[in-house]
Amino acid sequence: MSRAYILGIDVGGTSIKMALFTRKGEMVKKWSIPTDNQEEGNYIVPQVKQSVVMKLEEKGLSLDNLSGTGIGVPGFLDNENERVESAVNIGWRDYPLVSILSQSLGTPVLMDNDANLAAAGEFWKGAGKGAQDVMCFTIGTGVGGGVIIDGKIVHGVGGMAGEVGHITVDPFGGKKCNCGKKGCLETISSATGMVNEALEGLMQRSNSLLHQKKGNELIAKDIFEAAAKEDELAKEVIDRSMFYLGLVIANACTLLNPKKIVIGGGVSSAGDALLDPLRSHFSRFALKKVKDDTEFVVAELGNDAGVTGAAWLALHS
Amino acid sequence: MSRAYILGIDVGGTSIKMALFTRKGEMVKKWSIPTDNQEEGNYIVPQVKQSVVMKLEEKGLSLDNLSGTGIGVPGFLDNENERVESAVNIGWRDYPLVSILSQSLGTPVLMDNDANLAAAGEFWKGAGKGAQDVMCFTIGTGVGGGVIIDGKIVHGVGGMAGEVGHITVDPFGGKKCNCGKKGCLETISSATGMVNEALEGLMQRSNSLLHQKKGNELIAKDIFEAAAKEDELAKEVIDRSMFYLGLVIANACTLLNPKKIVIGGGVSSAGDALLDPLRSHFSRFALKKVKDDTEFVVAELGNDAGVTGAAWLALHS
């Protein structure tokens, strides 16, 4: 039987997403299993194998029909030695994932970090399609990213490329970031950052609609909803967040002049309420020709971006 | 006779530098001619040809011994159509340089902008040697740059990549830049920017050593000399300039995680007086792992960087 299929795996802290693709890149089946991070993540590969075999059987297929596997991991990778240096939420530490998974599935395995593969997924099949130079910014709990130049993921010498959330936007101070620095982009422009800014603002604004949410948990979606009702505080928080994101993207475009900027993550569902102020601030900080070259698009693949990028990796490396 | 040589050409506003290389990359002869920008730069190619033929003859060679030519141009290029869009100081405007030069010399011709080729020269034979990911910052009248990833020059979709002087460092104001924006890096961290900052500072500092130069023309070198004598104003100007350059480089490294940062241009002759404060500010703004990965080096090739990069282009494209 021919090895006509590719497996894409996207390892996350709560679930492991998987999908089967044809070699032409068509997704034929997707599913997920919960992440079992007991015993330093040692159960994960056997569980993945079991679920893959089961899903293949449902289609009358077996592991012999797989020609390659790509896997995205949330953590620091030692690509040269094909090991996971550390993936805190998964439990892997100095873990030879590539050889273990390859032995288990009987296919070549290629590995990259999850943010890079989400970017690659959008580049291949989603909002970044048609461009060779794409930068992705994922606005969620943090701000993540991936850089694709000339159709290839940029890793940098230590695999740290694309850590856009830790670009310094307030060099004179700013809030403390989880990374240990201060004034990082994600302290302001992530969903968490926006909520923090709103909570601070509420102390001075007795009339904001966001007070209704104060007792419950305020989330970024509430801020966009309040802004749609012309709430001043909400509008200011979004504007400030997009001011700094626009600055970072303009500066990154001055450096790399990509064709497309893909905005993903939970907050990107706000659509034009996010893109309009973002484009407007971006325009102030970008050279005219760079501005004219750059197209802003919202990510299209949602939760499928990671598995799609993993399949792309297996097919194109 | 064998086509054993490569020609590198670096077109500048005052002179055109040329050099002959072996195919192994050894420079065997270099020379320059003045830039004749009359008649929209139409005399340049014939003058280049004449001087190349003459220099080849001196070595008992002819154009038949050239296997390729690379040329660096200070301006905007339409690489796809192999034309110079505009090179203001040279006179070329929508000029089909590649075909004209190729016909004149009888070799294939490859073209790129001068800053990119200076970066490529340092990458190939200079301070960037041994790294695959290199960013160059040239501190002179302006701040120029070039980005090399995975051993290739990054151009971006419109050829604008590497315009690092126009990265915005003061998003709330700053001085007006030649590009039309405000608060660009080169308004503060170029030689010109440093001199401007010093001249402004002199109004408040009656005791600065730089007053001695006020009547004459103050240049960046004077500022470094005064700083070496512990002049407070001079030290502040250098520190502020390196603060913003350090910020920009740290943020660029967070995005791309290169191995080497090459600092070139006239101001780089200041050596450690420039690198020490630069590294110190960089360190505050960089993620720890990125900081550990990044090596700062001063450009080594000086005026030969452009012709060397041009030869690299001819050999490696």
Side-chain angles (χ1 to χ4, degrees):
Chain A
M1 219 180 269
S2 76
R3 293 188 171 268
Y5 296 91
I6 295 285
L7 178 65
I9 309 178
D10 181 16
V11 179
T14 53
S15 73
I16 296 171
K17 298 178 189 70
M18 285 167 270
L20 206 59
F21 292 79
T22 65
R23 292 187 58 87
K24 283 183 182 158
E26 194 196 348
M27 190 193 284
V28 292
K29 193 170 191 78
K30 65 174 175 176
W31 71 97
S32 70
I33 59 172
T35 304
D36 182 351
N37 58 11
Q38 292 176 87
E39 298 290 333
E40 297 173 332
N42 274 323
Y43 298 149
I44 291 177
V45 168
Q47 288 166 352
V48 162
K49 180 185 177 174
Q50 193 186 19
S51 94
V52 170
V53 168
M54 209 173 70
K55 293 292 166 177
L56 284 167
E57 275 174 5
E58 286 175 20
K59 293 189 77 70
L61 300 168
S62 78
L63 289 176
D64 290 337
N65 296 106
L66 293 181
S67 63
T69 301
I71 185 164
V73 177
F76 296 108
L77 309 181
D78 175 355
N79 266 311
E80 208 172 318
N81 297 306
E82 306 186 322
R83 300 171 87 89
V84 177
E85 269 182 28
S86 78
V88 180
N89 296 324
I90 314 301
W92 291 334
R93 206 176 173 84
D94 192 24
Y95 184 70
L97 175 62
V98 170
S99 66
I100 292 179
L101 187 61
S102 175
Q103 226 157 8
S104 172
L105 298 178
T107 74
V109 169
L110 287 142
M111 162 179 89
D112 207 327
N113 86 45
D114 57 343
N116 284 345
L117 292 189
E122 291 290 342
F123 158 73
W124 187 36
K125 293 280 168 185
K129 219 170 151 176
Q132 282 297 92
D133 298 306
V134 177
M135 278 196 289
C136 295
F137 290 78
T138 306
I139 320 294
T141 316
V143 175
V147 181
I148 291 175
I149 291 181
D150 214 8
K152 283 192 215 143
I153 296 171
V154 177
H155 293 98
V157 66
M160 293 290 286
E163 289 288 338
V164 294
H166 303 292
I167 286 176
T168 304
V169 294
D170 184 351
F172 301 105
K175 292 202 184 73
K176 184 129 192 175
C177 181
N178 290 330
C179 73
K181 297 198 300 138
K182 275 182 177 178
C184 291
L185 177 67
E186 76 174 33
T187 64
I188 300 174
S189 303
S190 64
T192 320
M194 281 188 239
V195 167
N196 288 341
E197 298 265 311
L199 290 174
E200 276 175 32
L202 280 175
M203 293 188 237
Q204 277 102 49
R205 307 290 185 91
S206 56
N207 61 345
S208 169
L209 294 170
L210 296 176
H211 275 290
Q212 297 164 15
K213 286 282 175 174
K214 206 177 156 189
N216 309 314
E217 206 181 309
L218 181 70
I219 60 172
K221 191 161 168 270
D222 302 322
I223 302 172
F224 282 96
E225 280 174 10
K229 293 175 189 154
E230 297 296 325
D231 183 77
E232 283 304 317
L233 173 61
K235 281 162 69 182
E236 280 172 34
V237 167
I238 294 168
D239 191 68
R240 183 169 142 86
S241 156
M242 292 305 115
F243 174 91
Y244 284 109
L245 186 60
L247 173 66
V248 163
I249 295 179
N251 285 346
C253 288
T254 304
L255 189 68
L256 299 177
N257 188 205
K259 184 168 178 184
K260 286 193 177 181
I261 301 295
V262 178
I263 306 293
V267 174
S268 71
S269 61
D272 287 341
L274 179 141
L275 285 192
D276 287 346
L278 177 58
R279 261 190 291 245
S280 142
H281 290 300
F282 166 84
S283 297
R284 295 166 49 192
F285 299 126
L287 289 167
K288 193 187 170 306
K289 186 155 164 34
V290 170
K291 183 170 64 189
D292 295 344
D293 284 339
T294 314
E295 192 183 336
F296 282 80
V297 284
V298 167
E300 290 172 358
L301 302 183
N303 285 333
D304 294 347
V307 288
T308 305
W312 171 85
L313 183 69
L315 272 169
H316 291 88
S317 279
Chain B
M1 218 181 271
S2 76
R3 294 188 171 269
Y5 295 91
I6 296 285
L7 178 66
I9 309 177
D10 182 16
V11 179
T14 52
S15 73
I16 297 172
K17 298 178 188 70
M18 286 168 271
L20 205 60
F21 293 80
T22 65
R23 293 187 57 89
K24 283 183 181 159
E26 194 196 347
M27 191 193 284
V28 290
K29 193 170 191 74
K30 66 174 174 176
W31 70 98
S32 70
I33 59 172
T35 305
D36 182 351
N37 58 10
Q38 293 176 87
E39 297 290 332
E40 298 173 330
N42 274 321
Y43 299 149
I44 292 177
V45 169
Q47 287 166 353
V48 162
K49 180 186 176 173
Q50 195 186 16
S51 94
V52 170
V53 168
M54 211 172 68
K55 293 291 166 180
L56 285 167
E57 272 173 10
E58 287 174 21
K59 292 189 78 71
L61 301 167
S62 77
L63 289 175
D64 290 338
N65 296 105
L66 293 180
S67 64
T69 302
I71 185 165
V73 177
F76 296 109
L77 308 181
D78 175 355
N79 266 313
E80 209 172 318
N81 298 304
E82 306 186 325
R83 300 170 88 89
V84 177
E85 270 182 28
S86 78
V88 179
N89 296 324
I90 314 302
W92 291 334
R93 206 176 174 84
D94 192 25
Y95 184 71
L97 175 63
V98 171
S99 66
I100 291 179
L101 187 62
S102 174
Q103 226 157 8
S104 173
L105 299 178
T107 75
V109 169
L110 287 142
M111 164 180 86
D112 207 327
N113 86 45
D114 57 343
N116 284 345
L117 292 190
E122 290 291 343
F123 158 73
W124 187 36
K125 293 279 167 185
K129 221 169 149 175
Q132 282 296 93
D133 299 306
V134 178
M135 279 197 288
C136 295
F137 291 77
T138 307
I139 320 295
T141 317
V143 176
V147 181
I148 290 174
I149 291 181
D150 214 8
K152 283 192 215 144
I153 297 172
V154 177
H155 293 99
V157 66
M160 294 290 286
E163 289 289 337
V164 294
H166 303 292
I167 286 177
T168 303
V169 294
D170 183 352
F172 301 107
K175 291 202 185 71
K176 184 131 193 174
C177 182
N178 290 330
C179 74
K181 299 198 299 137
K182 275 181 177 178
C184 291
L185 176 66
E186 75 174 33
T187 65
I188 300 174
S189 303
S190 64
T192 321
M194 280 187 239
V195 167
N196 288 340
E197 299 264 311
L199 290 175
E200 276 175 32
L202 280 176
M203 295 188 237
Q204 278 105 49
R205 307 291 185 90
S206 56
N207 61 343
S208 170
L209 294 170
L210 296 176
H211 275 289
Q212 297 164 12
K213 286 282 175 178
K214 207 177 157 190
N216 308 315
E217 207 181 309
L218 182 70
I219 60 171
K221 192 161 168 269
D222 302 322
I223 302 173
F224 282 96
E225 280 174 12
K229 293 174 190 154
E230 297 295 327
D231 184 77
E232 283 305 316
L233 173 61
K235 281 162 70 182
E236 280 172 35
V237 167
I238 292 167
D239 190 68
R240 184 169 142 84
S241 157
M242 291 305 115
F243 174 91
Y244 284 110
L245 186 61
L247 173 67
V248 163
I249 294 179
N251 285 346
C253 288
T254 305
L255 189 67
L256 299 177
N257 188 207
K259 183 167 179 187
K260 286 194 178 181
I261 301 294
V262 179
I263 306 291
V267 174
S268 70
S269 61
D272 287 342
L274 179 143
L275 284 192
D276 288 346
L278 177 58
R279 261 189 290 245
S280 141
H281 290 301
F282 166 84
S283 297
R284 294 166 51 193
F285 299 126
L287 289 167
K288 191 186 171 307
K289 185 157 165 34
V290 170
K291 185 170 62 191
D292 295 343
D293 285 339
T294 314
E295 192 183 336
F296 282 78
V297 283
V298 167
E300 290 171 0
L301 302 184
N303 286 331
D304 294 347
V307 289
T308 305
W312 172 85
L313 183 69
L315 272 170
H316 292 89
S317 282

